[in-house]
């Protein structure tokens, strides 16, 4: 029987924030990592992407923050700006009900503005990229009160020769009693060797289990905007979806989608930001007891609502932000159950979706909706005489090659 986050030592505020995101059961790396980090050990966390490594170090480090001390206590270094922002978003989400000052300091941010900000706000936790942190540490960013530092994707930061220079400099600037945490999806002998030499009494935690996302199948279907509502209807019928969520980007689209699907006799409800809490509870109740098969929602309306056992998430519109894709996908495949995410996109969105998938290391599969059925896309079937379709095919292939 796995332990709960509370049993691992995570305080109620953060447990509540996790629950709001539908995160209830710790993954293996969290189960092992949280207590060790809370105990102040230097640690190396080795587990695959998608295994919940970020929370395995973020949660215990948030516990270590002293709200009363207006100084930098925890520093998380990520090798890329994207990853740093991703971690920062997770931290923001967890701390939104607290008064902790958290900041992202990354290379593409305006350094003057960052310095101005550091003058006014004294962040207690910073997520940043190595070079920018080093630059800021020359002046306004004070590192001497740090209690812990994390190097995420440590293999990249340490083994790559160029990055290693920054890493060495950063390491030198750390105060003597600072706790060191290294997270990595790969653990080559070279990395282990280096860390064993450098880090004082590290605990090595290697977990080959608990992948959060691998039970979710990620599909996409390319089509014209005009066709998508028909595709959507067909997919719901074809897959016989009785517990699905459809995501759109605005209240208007929520209403329009509900109207169209209801017109065709489907059991559809809306989660909209216009509803009060009783109306929402009513919709949720109907969805959980099966009176409604489909919930249409915008991201805002779905936030903080805990929905279990959703089998399909359909993106009728893609989110603006890449992280939104994961948040929506996280509504399905919970608690080790299987789930499917289907994105209905235009061909102009293929590259964007591919890029996101690469960043999250998600495997995407293209399907096509034809004659009322969802089938694998077969390039040979494409009518080569149609120039439009040829363009389409080329785009898909080049995007898929990446
Ligand atoms: P990571 O491996 O840290 O990149 O996490 C991958 C995704 O899994 C993120 O979207 C997390 O929000 C989500 N996640 C992390 N821990 C859990 C958990 N215990 N249960 C469900 N989802 C989780």
């Amino acid at each position: 029987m796995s332990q709960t986050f509370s049993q691992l030592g995570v305080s109620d505020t953060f447990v509540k924030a996790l629950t709001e995101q539908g995160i209830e059961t710790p993954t293996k790396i969290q189960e092992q990592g949280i207590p060790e980090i809370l105990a102040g050990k230097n640690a190396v966390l080795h587990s695959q992407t998608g295994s919940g490594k970020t929370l395995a170090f973020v949660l215990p480090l948030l516990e270590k923050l002293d709200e009363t001390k207006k100084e930098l206590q925890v520093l998380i270094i990520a090798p890329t700006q994207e990853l740093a922002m991703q971690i920062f978003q997770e931290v923001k989400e967890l701390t939104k009900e607290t008064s902790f000052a958290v900041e992202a300091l990354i290379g593409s941010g305006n350094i003057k503005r960052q310095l101005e900000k550091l003058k006014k706000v004294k962040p207690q936790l910073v997520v940043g990229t190595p070079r920018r942190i080093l630059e800021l540490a020359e002046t306004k960013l004070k590192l001497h009160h740090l209690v812990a530092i994390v190097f995420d994707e440590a293999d990249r930061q340490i083994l790559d020769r160029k990055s290693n220079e920054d890493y060495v400099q950063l390491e030198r600037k750390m105060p003597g009693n600072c706790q060191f945490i290294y997270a990595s999806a790969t653990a080559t002998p070279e990395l282990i060797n280096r860390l064993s030499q450098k880090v004082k009494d590290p605990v090595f935690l290697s977990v080959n289990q608990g992948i959060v996302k691998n039970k979710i199948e990620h599909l996409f279907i390319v089509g014209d905007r005009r066709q998508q509502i028909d595709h959507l209807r067909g997919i719901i019928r074809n897959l016989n979806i009785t517990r699905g969520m459809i995501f759109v980007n605005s209240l208007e689209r929520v209403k329009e989608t509900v109207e169209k699907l209801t017109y065709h006799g489907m059991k559809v409800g809306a989660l909209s930001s216009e509803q009060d809490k009783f109306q929402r509870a009513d919709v949720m109740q109907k969805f959980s007891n099966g009176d409604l098969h489909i919930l249409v929602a915008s991201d805002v309306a779905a936030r903080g609502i805990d929905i279990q056992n959703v089998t399909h998430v359909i993106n009728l519109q893609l989110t603006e932000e890449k992280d939104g894709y994961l948040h929506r996908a996280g509504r399905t495949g919970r608690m080790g159950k299987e789930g499917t995410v289907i994105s209905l996109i235009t061909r102009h969105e293929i590259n964007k979706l591919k890029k996101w998938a690469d960043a999250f290391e998600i495997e995407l599969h293209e399907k096509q909706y034809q004659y009322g059925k969802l089938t694998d896309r077969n390039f040979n079937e494409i009518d080569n005489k149609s120039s439009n379709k040829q363009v389409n095919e080329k785009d898909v292939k080049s995007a898929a090659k990446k």
Side-chain angles (χ1 to χ4, degrees), residues 128-331:
T129 45
R131 216 11 100 73
R132 180 54 52 98
I133 296 295
L134 281 169
E135 276 177 278
L136 292 168
E138 295 295 318
T139 51
K140 282 274 159 299
L141 190 69
K142 303 284 175 249
L143 305 178
H144 51 271
H145 290 295
L146 276 174
V147 294
I149 182 164
V150 181
F151 293 95
D152 198 16
E153 295 203 1
D155 50 336
R156 265 174 89 170
Q157 300 200 52
I158 296 174
L159 299 181
D160 177 84
R161 199 146 47 89
K162 189 114 195 50
S163 313
N164 185 263
E165 291 168 18
D166 293 339
Y167 164 73
V168 171
Q169 275 197 60
L170 269 168
E171 210 190 29
R172 265 197 217 123
K173 287 184 186 291
M174 293 307 127
N177 51 358
C178 181
Q179 182 180 6
F180 283 80
I181 294 144
Y182 300 83
S184 178
T186 51
T188 57
E190 194 187 352
L191 182 70
I192 302 291
N193 217 352
R194 291 248 193 134
L195 292 177
S196 318
Q197 289 165 8
K198 285 236 163 192
V199 188
K200 192 162 166 271
D201 303 330
V203 285
F204 284 94
L205 303 173
S206 181
V207 169
N208 219 344
Q209 234 185 328
I211 300 299
V212 174
K213 289 177 298 196
N214 72 344
K215 291 205 167 168
I216 304 180
E217 203 184 8
H218 296 263
L219 313 177
F220 71 100
I221 299 168
V222 180
D224 290 341
R225 276 265 165 265
R226 285 173 288 122
Q227 302 172 311
Q228 286 176 339
I229 189 82
D230 291 333
H231 285 176
L232 174 68
R233 212 154 41 83
I235 291 163
I236 296 171
R237 285 243 152 83
N238 186 235
L239 299 179
N240 193 18
I241 299 175
T242 53
R243 278 189 82 79
M245 283 196 77
I246 297 170
F247 279 99
V248 290
N249 294 345
S250 67
L251 181 59
E252 290 70 43
R253 280 306 282 273
V254 171
K255 288 184 182 164
E256 185 192 316
T257 311
V258 170
E259 256 169 44
K260 286 188 176 156
L261 296 178
T262 308
Y263 176 78
H264 288 279
M266 296 185 164
K267 295 178 177 175
V268 186
L271 267 186
S272 95
S273 42
E274 278 182 335
Q275 292 161 330
D276 62 32
K277 77 176 179 207
F278 301 105
Q279 290 168 319
R280 275 159 171 259
D282 183 48
V283 175
M284 293 306 300
Q285 177 64 30
K286 288 185 173 136
F287 187 62
S288 10
N289 64 24
D291 290 342
L292 292 175
H293 290 176
I294 305 288
L295 272 189
V296 184
S298 62
D299 298 278
V300 182
R303 192 161 302 149
I305 286 190
D306 186 29
I307 305 167
Q308 302 286 331
N309 300 339
V310 171
T311 57
H312 294 78
V313 164
I314 304 182
N315 292 316
L316 187 56
Q317 291 179 295
L318 283 185
T319 46
E320 311 269 320
E321 298 284 328
K322 140 171 147 261
D323 290 353
Y325 181 91
L326 269 199
H327 285 146
R328 289 176 176 185
R331 299 279 168 182

Side-chain angles (χ1 to χ4, degrees), residues 37 57-66 69 71-77 87 91 100-103 105 123-128 133 141-143 145-150 174 178-179 181:
I37 296 174
F57 59 76
V58 164
L59 286 168
L61 293 180
L62 285 174
E63 297 294 337
K64 283 177 185 262
L65 287 184
D66 183 342
K69 289 189 178 152
E71 57 206 17
L72 180 62
Q73 299 161 54
V74 171
L75 180 58
I76 300 172
I77 306 281
I87 299 169
V91 172
F100 288 130
V102 297
E103 204 60 63
L105 299 172
Q124 292 157 316
L125 181 150
V126 162
V127 185
I133 296 295
L141 190 69
K142 303 284 175 249
L143 305 178
H145 290 295
L146 276 174
V147 294
I149 182 164
V150 181
M174 293 307 127
C178 181
Q179 182 180 6
I181 294 144

Side-chain angles (χ1 to χ4, degrees), residues 5 18 21-30 47-57 59 83 86-87 90 152 210-213 323 326-327 330 333-336 360:
F5 281 109
L18 288 170
Q21 297 171 57
I23 298 178
E24 280 152 2
T25 317
T27 62
K28 284 274 173 295
I29 193 69
Q30 290 162 358
S47 73
Q48 282 154 279
T49 307
S51 57
K53 232 182 351 273
T54 314
L55 289 178
F57 59 76
L59 286 168
L83 183 59
Q86 222 171 292
I87 299 169
E90 289 200 42
D152 198 16
I211 300 299
V212 174
K213 289 177 298 196
D323 290 353
L326 269 199
H327 285 146
R334 293 247 185 109
M335 305 284 197
F360 295 132

